[in-house]
Amino acid sequence: MERVKQLARTYAPILVLGEDQNSGYWPMSVDEFISHCDVIVSPNNPTQYFLQTKETITYGSQVLPWFHGCPPTSLLSEDLQLKILGEVSTKKVFCFDPGCQAPIYCFIFAGKFDGIRLKYTGVSNGIEEGTFVALFYAFFAYNRGKKIGVLNNTVVGNHIGDWEFVAISFENFVPVQLHFKPHSLGTCVIPFPPSDQHIHQPAKVLFSDNDVRAGRCTNCVPIDNPKIRFYQGRPVVYCGKGTHAMWPSSGKHKYAPPSTASIVAKDLWDNCGTECASCTVWFVENNIVFIPPEVWTGDAMPENSQFPFNWAVDIDQWGNYGVQSTLVVNFASMFVNEKVGRDMQEMVDGPRGFLRRSPFKEFQKPVKTDTK
């Protein structure tokens, strides 16, 4: 397993966050987030918990001071800007100070890409032979939604708690594919380039067919312009401003589902990288926290956790329930399906726990633990 961990460190992505330095929403450790929350038995599953802020949330765009996390204070050199971003930006490009970086959580599964989607073969079967998938999950205390012009610039889609990931699949101890899933669009699969290639533009980009809605991604940059940058063998991954959704390139990325009214869809874009007022380059390789199989299967507790429960198993929902507004509710008739209508609330429910995510739900054994 040590060889596998070293490979994950060697090829860990470089994340480019599009947050504003003074008002952005930065990564945070799960322990810090949980310390700000009440741990309550989930109404959906009495064997699990949901997390709700200790402070009362009274309106859908309310922002608590600790949502911002720890912002960067150092500027990235022009030399590194050129090598990582491919340009010296006219805007400020920051990097995190060593003492201010949150963890990135790395889950490792046995599995491989079968041509359409990732196929997980088990908890550990095949890992020691070098066929595995490393999922890099970053956690943020808050997701800022989008201003919708037709709703008087109401910001919709905010939520407390935010998990975002990018995955790298390996075969015979060699990285072979990058996997993205921004805004649950379906998995965007991009071949890993030769080791000496700094810019990679693959001939074909595939989306899995198991959960993507027909036509949803026709205007997404991963299809139109799948150009990926690499620095020292590491993929450069761009996180949308406010939403933190991970994309394979800088620029503006449209993510509206086809059922969304056009007057709303025009506002559903992720701005990434130098498209933002400023950005921050996050070197995560020294901040990886490995979550071993015995933790996310529920057989052991996370190391050094200050809480008497297993956050990888016992949390059903990371963050408060949604807050509606009359303006947004009355506008729901413009949407074809109920889910999209719910997504247009000012505040939507916090993200679901790992037990309700693939591939974790196939292998976890939930264990109720006492929070007292």
Side-chain angles (χ1 to χ4, degrees):
M1 184 62 80
E2 283 307 312
R3 183 180 180 184
V4 169
K5 288 182 178 181
Q6 187 54 49
L7 282 169
R9 294 187 189 99
T10 298
Y11 294 101
I14 296 170
L15 300 184
V16 182
L17 304 172
E19 304 300 298
D20 294 333
Q21 185 194 22
N22 297 322
S23 60
Y25 304 99
W26 305 99
M28 179 180 286
S29 72
V30 296
D31 281 355
E32 182 179 353
F33 179 78
I34 295 171
S35 72
H36 290 286
C37 295
D38 290 325
V39 182
I40 303 170
V41 174
S42 170
N44 299 321
N45 186 343
T47 69
Q48 292 185 295
Y49 307 101
F50 83 93
L51 302 177
Q52 177 175 283
T53 56
K54 293 178 180 178
E55 301 95 328
T56 301
I57 300 296
T58 58
Y59 60 96
S61 290
Q62 184 174 347
V63 174
L64 301 175
W66 58 269
F67 286 176
H68 296 287
C70 185
T73 57
S74 300
L75 290 172
L76 190 70
S77 70
E78 291 187 354
D79 178 59
L80 281 178
Q81 288 184 46
L82 185 61
K83 291 177 178 177
I84 295 171
L85 304 178
E87 62 178 306
V88 176
S89 177
T90 58
K91 304 168 184 177
K92 289 185 177 181
V93 179
F94 295 92
C95 59
F96 284 104
D97 297 324
C100 215
Q101 286 194 28
I104 191 163
Y105 299 93
C106 183
F107 298 80
I108 293 176
F109 290 88
K112 63 189 299 184
F113 183 63
D114 70 355
I116 297 178
R117 61 180 70 87
L118 286 173
K119 296 288 286 186
Y120 296 97
T121 57
V123 172
S124 58
N125 182 34
I127 290 179
E128 297 301 331
E129 289 72 43
T131 299
F132 62 93
V133 180
L135 293 92
F136 295 91
Y137 269 94
F139 183 75
F140 305 83
Y142 186 70
N143 173 102
R144 189 65 171 174
K146 301 298 180 184
K147 289 183 179 179
I148 305 299
V150 74
L151 294 178
N152 296 332
N153 285 326
T154 301
V155 179
V156 303
N158 305 305
H159 55 82
I160 298 170
D162 190 23
W163 283 104
E164 301 292 342
F165 82 94
V166 61
I168 301 175
S169 57
F170 294 77
E171 292 182 20
N172 298 320
F173 298 104
V174 175
V176 290
Q177 280 112 8
L178 281 162
H179 305 262
F180 297 86
K181 196 172 183 179
H183 297 285
S184 300
L185 294 177
T187 302
C188 171
V189 181
I190 297 174
F192 224 86
S195 59
D196 60 347
Q197 200 165 330
H198 299 294
I199 299 177
H200 180 50
Q201 190 157 11
K204 181 169 64 173
V205 174
L206 300 174
F207 275 83
S208 69
D209 62 357
N210 60 335
D211 58 2
V212 66
R213 280 170 269 186
R216 181 164 181 170
C217 288
T218 53
N219 293 317
C220 291
V221 172
I223 287 179
D224 295 340
N225 182 26
K227 184 182 292 185
I228 317 299
R229 294 195 63 83
F230 286 77
Y231 175 67
Q232 296 182 342
R234 303 178 186 280
V236 180
V237 175
Y238 292 82
C239 299
K241 179 181 178 180
T243 71
H244 313 114
M246 296 187 185
W247 299 89
S249 60
S250 186
K252 295 182 69 174
H253 301 262
K254 186 176 181 180
Y255 61 87
S259 56
T260 305
S262 60
I263 56 175
V264 173
K266 66 183 180 63
D267 295 324
L268 297 181
W269 292 83
D270 268 340
N271 291 340
C272 295
T274 52
E275 189 71 29
C276 304
S278 65
C279 63
T280 297
V281 175
W282 184 16
F283 301 95
V284 306
E285 67 269 19
N286 295 321
N287 292 77
I288 298 175
V289 173
F290 288 98
I291 307 300
E294 59 268 24
V295 170
W296 51 257
T297 56
D299 294 323
M301 297 284 284
E303 289 187 9
N304 304 318
S305 176
Q306 57 183 299
F307 304 102
F309 57 87
N310 182 340
W311 60 260
V313 173
D314 293 338
I315 302 301
D316 179 60
Q317 181 174 305
W318 292 79
N320 300 34
Y321 286 100
V323 176
Q324 293 189 2
S325 72
T326 302
L327 177 67
V328 174
V329 171
N330 290 343
F331 196 71
S333 61
M334 295 198 67
F335 302 97
V336 173
N337 63 67
E338 181 185 355
K339 181 182 186 304
V340 175
R342 291 200 307 271
D343 288 346
M344 295 304 293
Q345 294 175 13
E346 283 189 78
M347 179 183 286
V348 298
D349 294 351
R352 63 188 185 276
F354 284 97
L355 195 64
R356 292 197 281 153
R357 297 170 181 259
S358 292
F360 303 95
K361 62 185 179 183
E362 282 86 357
F363 305 122
Q364 284 183 319
K365 299 183 288 294
V367 178
K368 177 68 180 288
T369 49
D370 192 359
T371 60
K372 300 295 185 180

